[in-house]
Amino acid sequence: MNQSGQKTQNEDVADFYRAIDRTSLIHKISADHPYVYTTMEVYDVVNGIRGAGGLGVLAADTRRVAEDLNIPFITLTPFYQSERHQQMDDKLVPHDAYITRVPEQEGFTHSGSVELKVKDQPDAKLDIYTKTLGTTRFLCMTEQNFGPLYADKPSSDHRLYQMASLGFGGYRALKMLHIKPAVIQLNETATIFTAVARLDELCSNGMNLYEAIVYVRKHTLYTNHTLVQAAESEFSYEQFEKFIFPNISSPALRHYVAGLFENGKLKLSSLTIELAEAKNGVSKLHARVADYHDINGEKVKFAAVTNGIHLQTWVKPEILRFYKNSGIIDKFNMPGCVTADQVRNIFRANTGGLRNLKRQGRRYLNDILARRMDQYGEHIQIPENVFLYEFKRRFVEYKRPWMPFEDVDELKEILVDNNAHYIMAGMIAGNVDPNDSTYKRLEGMLQTIADDPVLRERVHYIPDYDEELAKAMSWGSDASINVPVVGMEACGTSFMKDLANLTLLIATNDGGVADVAPPTALIVEGDDYSEEVKALYRRMREAAAIWRDNDRWSDETANVLASYLSVICGARMMRDYLRFLFRPEV
Ligand SMILES: *Cc1c(COP(=O)(O)O)cnc(C)c1O
């Protein structure tokens, strides 16, 4: 306690540690011995790093939560000097456009350099940049020709070079800064070479290979976001000879890795499964259905640690303050001790104020839209009194952005009957062929909208989807549409941003939505696709009807929030990871 009798922030965090672990975590994690999180992608524009989607947003939010909780934490990630954006041309075709980022201009400090070996080429020199934020730190590697995130094809030389840079370069940077990881979390298999580098160091220090593998396995967590192993990238022996083996000094380790190849190919997931004892999927459903096998053909067991979001980043501050003042969220940004009934009563007593906060959210969205352009290159504003549907997520087949357009007459009727608008945003993955079906479908959808006067007035597509737009759309929309093919979404976090900002949720029962059983959102389900489409239209009408009725709106938003609160809290996710990693006996 300090003199005023209030706990300092450090004491609060000690409380938190005690709450999750009898023998305090402070002895297990320290500044020299931090939690190291390694990821190819971080999405944190405020800190000068733009990602591509959910994987990067999760990485950024995980660090932010660690900073809040004073956890010694390092985010090991590349700094991409080339950053991808999306622009529309006047034929309604999206194009990639790249801008340059300079680490010094983004507040990073040059902290030295490390070498990376490439067969038959001079050593590459990777510059190491750091940025410290509270107890957390970004540790980044980069060089002039590093290229953008997700450059080239998944199994290309360039990708493997980037992965080797992150893994071997990143591990050498940790050593250079005298940091010994307490644990290494691998955010997907592209980061596996961090664990390989650690293994190599132990072998070089005289440990025998099998002891070293046991040690590395015990201190490595593999977080999987991919449903099927067939979708994992694989590399040839020749590619490993060029980029990987030159960076491994132990002959025994090289021999071991070489032995994992099958028919001249190695899937990084196979290597990762061997080197990480702790493995998790990112929602309950995903952990259950992810179908992976180790090199002996044994099915891999994934624990479930559902993704959460950093509430302070994504929730409108006034709404978050309301949650805190009413005890819905506690001082750690964890769910408070209130029942669903109590949340409903709290909402009923404050419905007018909450609706007013949503109107403020609409104004915020319009402020952002004033700086952005729609598909025609025009600045749009959403009228204050209209009902606003939104779809904001990467445009990939399984997320089905075109589902509301299956019956254009029905969509138009819903929009007109409810005086509604519909706003959409979402990137298409880079390096796709312009003849790719996703591109073609996006173009077709934009053309359908352009050709119809009702849709042209009421449906808006905002190119170059990013965090700013994600936040503004969560704050300023009334209902969000989240309809992935069931079984395809690992978790998804957009829906968390929406429900936390009191946006009605129209969703298929997939990913993190399925963590709550039975789900409380406006669920879209049906025996086949056409039944699902009909269910979507019914739910769209229902959402607008709920919105028109204060009591129904209050109860619906309260119910969904109360049931998903522990699912969405980033602090809850961190607690689960700490428990999983440091208290395996429970
Ligand atoms: C939150 C967010 C995501 C996450 O998308 P999901 O499809 O829900 O996983 C992706 N991109 C951006 C810019 C985001 O802010």
Side-chain angles (χ1 to χ4, degrees):
M1 300 270 174
N2 64 20
Q3 282 165 337
S4 67
Q6 282 183 332
K7 285 184 174 183
T8 64
Q9 205 191 347
N10 273 325
E11 284 173 288
D12 271 357
V13 171
D15 261 7
F16 176 79
Y17 286 165
R18 269 193 296 278
I20 62 169
D21 191 345
R22 281 176 295 270
T23 55
S24 173
L25 278 172
I26 291 166
H27 298 300
K28 297 177 184 163
I29 320 179
S30 65
D32 302 335
H33 215 56
Y35 188 136
V36 173
Y37 186 98
T38 170
T39 179
M40 289 304 289
E41 179 185 343
V42 170
Y43 209 138
D44 187 350
V45 169
V46 174
N47 281 306
I49 307 183
R50 178 181 163 118
L55 189 84
V57 171
L58 175 74
D61 275 6
T62 305
R63 189 206 59 75
R64 292 174 184 130
V65 171
E67 184 184 347
D68 290 349
L69 294 171
N70 281 356
I71 295 170
F73 187 92
I74 298 220
T75 304
L76 202 60
T77 193
F79 187 97
Y80 302 93
Q81 298 183 33
S82 174
E83 179 181 287
R84 179 171 165 259
H85 290 259
Q86 213 156 50
Q87 282 173 353
M88 300 295 284
D89 69 12
D90 49 14
K91 295 194 189 65
L92 296 179
V93 180
H95 287 283
D96 288 349
Y98 290 87
I99 66 163
T100 300
R101 291 263 182 202
V102 178
E104 281 87 352
Q105 286 171 9
E106 306 300 334
F108 286 82
T109 307
H110 191 252
S111 305
S113 65
V114 297
E115 236 111 75
L116 187 75
K117 293 193 162 56
V118 181
K119 188 182 168 197
D120 298 335
Q121 281 181 31
D123 289 353
K125 181 170 144 275
L126 296 171
D127 286 305
I128 303 301
Y129 282 91
T130 59
K131 183 191 274 194
T132 300
L133 297 155
T135 56
T136 72
R137 179 141 60 144
F138 281 111
L139 188 52
C140 303
M141 62 296 311
T142 191
E143 47 91 1
Q144 285 296 314
N145 302 312
F146 201 80
L149 172 63
Y150 305 139
D152 217 326
K153 298 277 179 280
S155 291
S156 63
D157 280 8
H158 195 85
R159 286 277 187 99
L160 190 59
Y161 166 74
Q162 289 182 333
M163 293 173 192
S165 302
L166 172 63
F168 296 105
Y171 197 76
R172 279 164 205 157
L174 286 171
K175 275 204 74 167
M176 183 175 80
L177 299 172
H178 308 292
I179 294 162
K180 194 174 167 215
V183 63
I184 296 176
Q185 180 167 359
L186 305 172
N187 194 30
E188 271 298 356
T189 59
T191 62
I192 182 58
F193 300 112
T194 319
V196 174
R198 186 172 219 190
L199 201 47
D200 192 40
E201 185 196 17
L202 295 175
C203 292
S204 307
N205 290 346
M207 202 184 263
N208 97 24
L209 176 66
Y210 290 95
E211 279 169 16
I213 290 175
V214 168
Y215 182 90
V216 167
R217 278 179 63 84
K218 280 235 170 299
H219 294 85
T220 307
L221 165 65
Y222 160 33
T223 300
N224 170 291
H225 303 258
T226 312
L227 269 304
V228 284
Q229 203 162 6
E232 296 278 353
S233 52
E234 59 179 14
F235 294 94
S236 69
Y237 193 82
E238 291 68 36
Q239 287 177 302
F240 264 61
E241 277 191 315
K242 187 161 180 197
F243 298 103
I244 305 303
F245 293 148
N247 292 290
I248 298 177
S249 57
S250 157
L253 178 55
R254 275 200 303 270
H255 184 76
Y256 166 78
V257 174
L260 299 175
F261 277 79
E262 262 180 73
N263 305 319
K265 299 268 187 194
L266 177 60
K267 273 194 188 304
L268 295 185
S269 56
S270 305
L271 182 56
T272 310
I273 288 162
E274 293 310 304
L275 297 186
E277 189 169 288
K279 304 172 192 72
N280 77 287
V282 289
S283 70
K284 287 180 184 165
L285 178 63
H286 170 229
R288 216 164 48 236
V289 302
D291 190 17
Y292 278 64
H293 294 83
D294 68 15
I295 45 171
N296 299 319
E298 296 279 328
K299 181 140 180 164
V300 173
K301 284 202 185 74
F302 290 100
V305 179
T306 303
N307 292 342
I309 55 171
H310 183 246
L311 297 176
Q312 302 96 300
T313 296
W314 297 106
V315 183
K316 184 170 160 50
E318 296 79 4
I319 296 181
L320 189 58
R321 202 171 312 136
F322 168 77
Y323 296 159
K324 288 221 170 149
N325 291 343
S326 54
I328 293 173
I329 297 267
D330 76 7
K331 64 180 176 180
F332 299 122
N333 292 300
M334 297 270 263
C337 295
V338 286
T339 63
D341 278 344
Q342 284 168 326
V343 175
R344 224 169 7 252
N345 291 336
I346 294 166
F347 270 49
R348 278 287 187 120
N350 294 280
T351 307
L354 292 173
R355 301 215 73 154
N356 197 32
L357 293 180
K358 283 301 289 180
R359 278 190 287 277
Q360 284 177 15
R362 175 68 53 85
R363 287 198 283 278
Y364 177 76
L365 171 62
N366 277 329
D367 288 347
I368 298 299
L369 290 177
R371 296 196 254 127
R372 309 281 296 227
M373 285 187 281
D374 69 1
Q375 67 266 45
Y376 314 110
E378 286 157 18
H379 301 286
I380 57 149
Q381 292 284 286
I382 308 295
E384 188 165 331
N385 60 339
V386 305
F387 184 82
L388 184 61
Y389 298 102
E390 60 119 280
F391 183 101
K392 52 160 173 28
R393 37 192 43 80
R394 275 180 309 120
F395 276 41
V396 286
E397 207 65 44
Y398 81 87
K399 291 184 190 261
R400 304 191 287 194
W402 12 86
M403 197 163 161
F405 295 87
E406 290 294 348
D407 182 342
V408 168
D409 291 333
E410 177 78 10
L411 174 63
K412 282 162 62 177
E413 199 178 291
I414 290 172
L415 295 178
V416 172
D417 286 355
N418 295 289
N419 188 23
H421 281 228
Y422 180 26
I423 185 169
M424 288 180 292
M427 295 286 271
I428 288 200
N431 300 297
V432 290
D433 173 352
N435 293 315
D436 173 275
S437 67
T438 318
Y439 254 111
K440 289 284 153 219
R441 293 191 81 161
L442 174 61
E443 282 173 42
M445 188 177 79
L446 294 174
Q447 202 56 56
T448 302
I449 298 165
D451 291 345
D452 184 287
V454 172
L455 296 181
R456 196 176 169 116
E457 181 199 342
R458 293 180 183 269
V459 181
H460 320 279
Y461 173 78
I462 313 294
D464 207 28
Y465 179 49
D466 61 4
E467 283 171 298
E468 173 186 77
L469 210 46
K471 184 163 95 174
M473 288 170 74
S474 288
W475 291 15
S477 304
D478 299 305
S480 76
I481 296 174
N482 171 45
V483 284
V485 176
V486 172
M488 295 296 285
E489 188 71 86
C491 181
T493 53
S494 303
F495 83 90
M496 301 181 181
K497 301 167 191 172
D498 299 331
L499 73 91
N501 284 296
L502 309 177
T503 301
L504 299 168
L505 199 64
I506 299 170
T508 48
N509 191 20
D510 195 27
V513 172
D515 259 42
V516 170
T520 50
L522 300 170
I523 293 296
V524 171
E525 58 193 349
D527 289 340
D528 56 29
Y529 183 57
S530 80
E531 291 300 316
E532 282 184 291
V533 171
K534 284 186 201 143
L536 169 65
Y537 291 131
R538 273 197 306 278
R539 291 304 201 183
M540 288 176 75
R541 288 184 190 277
E542 187 182 349
I546 290 171
W547 180 78
R548 281 192 294 270
D549 180 323
N550 271 336
D551 289 348
R552 281 186 76 191
W553 181 84
S554 184
D555 289 354
E556 175 72 19
T557 50
N559 270 340
V560 173
L561 180 75
S563 53
Y564 282 96
L565 200 54
S566 85
V567 176
I568 69 172
C569 286
R572 186 278 313 151
M573 167 178 70
M574 181 58 77
R575 181 203 62 189
D576 289 353
Y577 276 123
L578 292 175
R579 279 182 170 164
F580 184 41
L581 291 168
F582 297 104
R583 204 174 58 165
E585 69 270 21
V586 171

